[in-house]
Amino acid sequence: MARVHNWQLGREMDFPYEARRPDRQFAMIFDTNKCISCQTCTVACKTTWTSGRGQEYMYWNNVETKPYGYYPLGWDVHILDRLGVQPLDGPVYQGKTLFDAAPTGEIILGYLPEDIDYAHPNIGEDDCTGLMPQGAHLSMPHMQWMFYLPRICNHCTYPACLSACPRQSIYKRKEDGIVLLDQSRCRGYRECARACPYKKVYFNAQTRVSEKCIGCYPAVEGGRQTQCTTSCIGKIRIQGFLGAPDAPDPDNPLDYLVFVRRVALPLYPQFGLEPNTYYIPPVHVPPPYLRQMFGGGAEQAIATYRAAREDRKLLGALLLFGATPEISHFFRVDGDQVIGYDAKQAEIVRVPLHEPPAVRELYDVKHRAYRTNIT
Amino acid sequence: MMRLAVLVLAALLAAASPAAAQAPLTAVRVPGSGPIVDPGAGVWRAARGVTVPMLPQTVTAPQKPEPAVNTLTVRAVHNGGWIGFLVEWRDPTLSTRIVVDTFGDQVAIQLPVDVTGPTPSPMMGNPGGRVNIMQWRAAFQHDIDYGPPSVKDLYPNAWTDYYPDEVLSATDARPYTGALGVENPISRGRASPVLDQMAEGWGSMTVKPDQHALGTGVWKEGVWRVVITRPMVSDDPNAPRLTPGVKTVVGFAVWEGGNQEVGSRKAWSPWVPLVVGAAAPARPAGATPPTGATGQPAGGRR
Ligand code: SF4
Ligand code: SF4
Ligand code: SF4
């Protein structure tokens, strides 16, 4: 066991390997408040990467409705149940990680889902927590609620999949932190599928080895964001790179949102993997659920997010979501616009902070029709 | 550091292994030539069955503390050109279908590559102590006997509109074939259900470029009878030279797929002394016919 620093837990932790942070870390931020569960991202990933034989029920990108949607079935409640209740209060996590909780003879606490668990990718979709009784009214947080949770592999800083593979078939790239599974080296033991708490390694029964999200590395190497990001209808995503947690660059939109403003939070940080997809929590969901899922900073993140209208730099960073297919390495707010720059500081996109209102005539003379929506 | 500790422990275990107490396995000289692949062949009646106790692998993680198979019955013969091992064990569940949560039955035979040098660690060798590991897989046997399973075979009710290989050229469809497209040797049983491999310690297993091991497995009435055979001498520098008269060691590992055994979740044996017989004894003392053997040639597979 090596001792490594996990900034999301605010402490050192045990990890089976000596691990060095990559030069920069592939990362993605999702604004859950904007996701409409259209599954365009899911289909974009599927048609790009997983439409072959044996990949029928394999979704490297999936979008599930919380709290009753899961893919595979019950993935998070199963592992939360096995980990047991842990203290989540305070800036330093005092509970056990999945590495701490490894049973004797195991590298990490995990479980292998059943085959049938992958057969219902849409289970629970649009299901609300309960019925609205007589007299129910709109309140914050909502009395009954649900929200959409898009998920890809987290390209974790301390990947469970990598640490559990007895053959070192999984590796984390030094140049961008993308976690890849070597298709010629894997022997189909499924230790990775058992270990990954997010269940983001899949078994292909045709090839008899495991497969996972590749972070669209051919696109990323060319300076473009991933397929699931650029295809996102709701413009809820941004993909780029995180720098060092202890030396964030406030001009990098991901560093700014994750490290500086802490408005985007990791998914189940208590597992101890330092996952690198980050979520702006849904504003209408009861805080206890959000604290369990995104850690103690959930309420503060929502407060920061809700004030973004008055916060020009934050607003600028949020408006880069879905604004360009290229990776924004830097950004700057200039007047009433936010500008995104590529790695060489060349401008790639310019977005107005405020859409100028346009009012059209109620009656369209050309088409001889009344307009029902004139703003 | 962890690896070093494992090696030290492995070496200790090797020194303390009950090899001395274990009845040696003698590869009896039998008539004939060519590969010895038939578990039902009459040649096995010439060989004494040796009971090999199997231990749970508990030295490295991950583990299966209670593996299903406790003993193997092993026989060995050679015909001057090929050496064959017949391994038998009770397994009530036939495991050949491999999907997310199911694992295949497997058995492996391990030999030191250098049969004259220091004995390598029984746990897949050690750096400098290379071993030859021949692993038979029930799923490969099924591929060879019945053809590789299609999606429809694995999931009879599956329906899809079309696959890339139905609408694209072979070259363009290749990226969608995953490990099959990069010819991962564990994806399919091809010519042989046995993988010819070498290792120098945990996690170092490599499928050799030249495959020499052959074999056949038959499951009947809750018993696997698996033959693994290889040329006694070859030009492969990573294969043992098993000339008549050689005294070396042999090790075994077995996986009960129905008990979710895979990889290091297995049962293994310490080294068993192996003698490559010089000439056929007239009648080996205590020779018993192998389990279920009728004296008839193998009547085909399952
Ligand atoms: S494409 Fe965007 S909005 Fe649609 S489901 Fe995916 S993440 Fe949500
Ligand atoms: S999310 Fe799972 S598959 Fe992806 S890097 Fe982390 S542990 Fe590995
Ligand atoms: S990053 Fe690429 S490979 Fe990964 S889920 Fe998104 S589209 Fe699929």
Side-chain angles (χ1 to χ4, degrees):
Chain A
M1 281 285 172
R3 292 294 284 175
V4 294
H5 185 74
N6 183 322
W7 73 266
Q8 296 172 358
L9 305 184
R11 68 164 167 90
E12 307 261 296
M13 63 163 211
D14 285 333
F15 184 65
Y17 286 93
E18 297 285 346
R20 283 241 316 278
R21 281 178 193 283
D23 300 343
R24 56 184 185 181
Q25 174 61 55
F26 171 100
M28 196 178 287
I29 301 176
F30 305 80
D31 184 347
T32 60
N33 297 288
K34 288 162 65 180
C35 178
I36 55 174
S37 194
C38 61
Q39 307 282 2
T40 313
C41 47
T42 308
V43 173
C45 178
K46 187 133 205 62
T47 51
T48 310
W49 303 118
T50 65
S51 47
R53 292 171 198 271
Q55 299 177 317
E56 293 78 6
Y57 276 78
M58 191 186 291
Y59 293 98
W60 293 352
N61 180 107
N62 80 289
V63 185
E64 57 201 48
T65 301
K66 284 300 179 199
Y68 296 139
Y70 320 86
Y71 168 75
L73 192 67
W75 66 272
D76 54 350
V77 289
H78 281 320
I79 193 66
L80 286 166
D81 188 40
R82 282 169 168 80
L83 183 60
V85 175
Q86 302 292 327
L88 289 170
D89 302 327
V92 177
Y93 177 59
Q94 305 290 353
K96 282 183 176 175
T97 68
L98 294 176
F99 298 105
D100 296 336
T104 310
E106 298 288 327
I107 287 160
I108 186 169
L109 178 66
Y111 80 99
L112 187 64
E114 291 179 29
D115 198 23
I116 195 82
D117 293 348
Y118 296 86
H120 321 277
N122 275 13
I123 204 162
E125 184 151 83
D126 290 352
D127 279 355
C128 201
T129 44
L131 296 172
M132 295 294 270
Q134 193 70 31
H137 54 277
L138 188 61
S139 60
M140 287 297 261
H142 287 185
M143 297 168 79
Q144 304 293 353
W145 54 272
M146 55 94 170
F147 70 98
Y148 302 125
L149 186 74
R151 301 201 299 122
I152 69 166
C153 163
N154 295 286
H155 297 278
C156 305
T157 308
Y158 306 117
C161 57
L162 177 154
S163 68
C165 176
R167 282 181 62 72
Q168 286 122 49
S169 303
I170 301 180
Y171 57 102
K172 184 169 178 66
R173 305 206 302 185
K174 183 176 176 297
E175 62 270 32
D176 54 17
I178 289 178
V179 176
L180 294 177
L181 192 159
D182 185 338
Q183 288 297 296
S184 51
R185 197 170 159 72
C186 176
R187 285 173 72 103
Y189 297 156
R190 284 155 272 176
E191 295 298 343
C192 49
R194 188 189 298 265
C196 171
Y198 305 98
K199 298 304 169 218
K200 279 293 168 190
V201 191
Y202 303 89
F203 185 68
N204 182 326
Q206 278 292 288
T207 68
R208 294 180 177 144
V209 307
S210 300
E211 300 177 356
K212 68 178 287 298
C213 160
I214 58 172
C216 285
Y217 71 83
V220 168
E221 285 171 5
R224 288 176 71 92
Q225 300 185 64
T226 69
Q227 289 290 83
C228 52
T229 306
T230 59
S231 66
C232 175
I233 300 290
K235 302 190 175 200
I236 82 144
R237 302 181 181 216
I238 188 169
Q239 179 261 314
F241 299 103
L242 284 176
D246 50 357
D249 176 359
D251 295 332
N252 168 344
L254 283 98
D255 273 10
Y256 182 72
L257 293 168
V258 172
F259 296 138
V260 179
R261 303 307 303 271
R262 303 217 164 192
V263 70
L265 305 172
L267 182 62
Y268 293 118
Q270 64 270 40
F271 293 162
L273 282 60
E274 217 188 274
N276 286 304
T277 64
Y278 295 85
Y279 294 85
I280 299 174
V283 297
H284 63 290
V285 170
Y289 189 87
L290 296 179
R291 281 199 296 271
Q292 172 177 268
M293 182 170 270
F294 301 117
E299 282 154 286
Q300 183 55 49
I302 288 174
T304 308
Y305 177 74
R306 297 197 72 171
R309 182 206 279 268
E310 320 302 333
D311 190 330
R312 287 160 51 81
K313 187 160 184 184
L314 178 58
L315 185 61
L318 293 173
L319 287 172
L320 287 174
F321 286 44
T324 165
E326 290 172 74
I327 294 176
S328 293
H329 291 256
F330 307 101
F331 80 113
R332 184 166 66 90
V333 172
D334 181 24
D336 201 35
Q337 293 180 322
V338 58
I339 311 169
Y341 301 91
D342 68 10
K344 293 188 178 131
Q345 308 264 10
E347 179 177 325
I348 49 175
V349 68
R350 206 172 256 266
V351 188
L353 293 187
H354 299 98
E355 285 280 354
V359 180
R360 298 180 297 169
E361 292 300 322
L362 176 62
Y363 184 68
D364 182 337
V365 178
K366 188 175 161 205
H367 297 102
R368 290 187 292 157
Y370 284 96
R371 292 176 169 126
T372 54
N373 182 346
I374 57 169
T375 54
Chain B
M1 191 62 209
M2 191 173 76
R3 170 144 304 175
L4 185 64
V6 166
L7 282 177
V8 170
L9 189 51
L12 284 173
L13 278 170
S17 74
Q22 167 76 50
L25 180 66
T26 302
V28 182
R29 172 84 198 223
V30 292
S33 62
I36 304 162
V37 290
D38 184 355
V43 293
W44 299 110
R45 272 179 288 141
R48 176 208 293 263
V50 168
T51 302
V52 178
M54 302 301 288
L55 310 169
Q57 188 290 112
T58 52
V59 176
T60 190
Q63 306 168 2
K64 189 84 188 176
E66 291 177 356
V69 182
N70 303 322
T71 56
L72 301 177
T73 304
V74 186
R75 289 174 169 76
V77 296
H78 78 87
N79 59 22
W82 288 71
I83 186 165
F85 299 87
L86 173 64
V87 188
E88 298 171 85
W89 72 98
R90 293 204 60 78
D91 180 351
T93 54
L94 174 67
S95 307
T96 56
R97 176 180 182 266
I98 300 185
V99 297
V100 171
D101 56 356
T102 59
F103 298 88
D105 298 325
Q106 304 172 41
V107 70
I109 292 182
Q110 170 177 267
L111 295 160
V113 167
D114 178 2
V115 294
T116 56
T119 306
S121 161
M123 291 168 187
M124 297 173 63
N126 50 272
R130 203 169 270 190
V131 291
N132 175 207
I133 296 178
M134 294 170 286
Q135 186 187 42
W136 171 91
R137 295 182 171 217
F140 286 0
Q141 189 71 57
H142 192 275
D143 292 347
I144 289 165
D145 294 352
Y146 302 103
S150 66
V151 171
K152 272 269 185 208
D153 293 333
L154 294 170
Y155 302 98
N157 297 322
W159 182 88
T160 48
D161 41 10
Y162 60 82
Y163 289 108
D165 57 24
E166 292 167 334
V167 290
L168 299 175
S169 70
T171 313
D172 289 345
R174 199 174 141 98
Y176 297 94
T177 57
L180 281 167
V182 294
E183 294 185 358
N184 185 320
I186 75 104
S187 289
R188 282 289 173 274
R190 293 191 168 85
S192 166
V194 183
L195 286 173
D196 196 358
Q197 309 168 110
M198 61 187 182
E200 288 196 322
W202 305 115
S204 68
M205 182 87 92
T206 306
V207 177
K208 296 201 264 184
D210 291 335
Q211 293 288 300
H212 291 296
L214 300 173
T216 307
V218 175
W219 184 86
K220 207 174 150 197
E221 290 162 5
V223 176
W224 269 117
R225 307 183 65 223
V226 175
V227 171
I228 295 177
T229 183
R230 70 163 303 113
M232 296 168 74
V233 176
S234 70
D235 52 11
D236 178 354
N238 288 305
R241 287 179 62 83
L242 299 167
T243 46
V246 159
K247 289 192 171 127
T248 180
V249 287
V250 60
F252 301 89
V254 65
W255 295 260
E256 210 302 33
N259 191 37
Q260 303 251 311
E261 294 173 29
V262 70
S264 60
R265 302 179 194 269
K266 66 182 174 191
W268 68 286
S269 80
W271 288 121
V272 174
L274 172 69
V275 181
V276 184
R283 191 178 182 84
T288 48
T291 323
T294 59
Q296 307 290 323
R301 294 169 185 148
R302 300 181 299 285

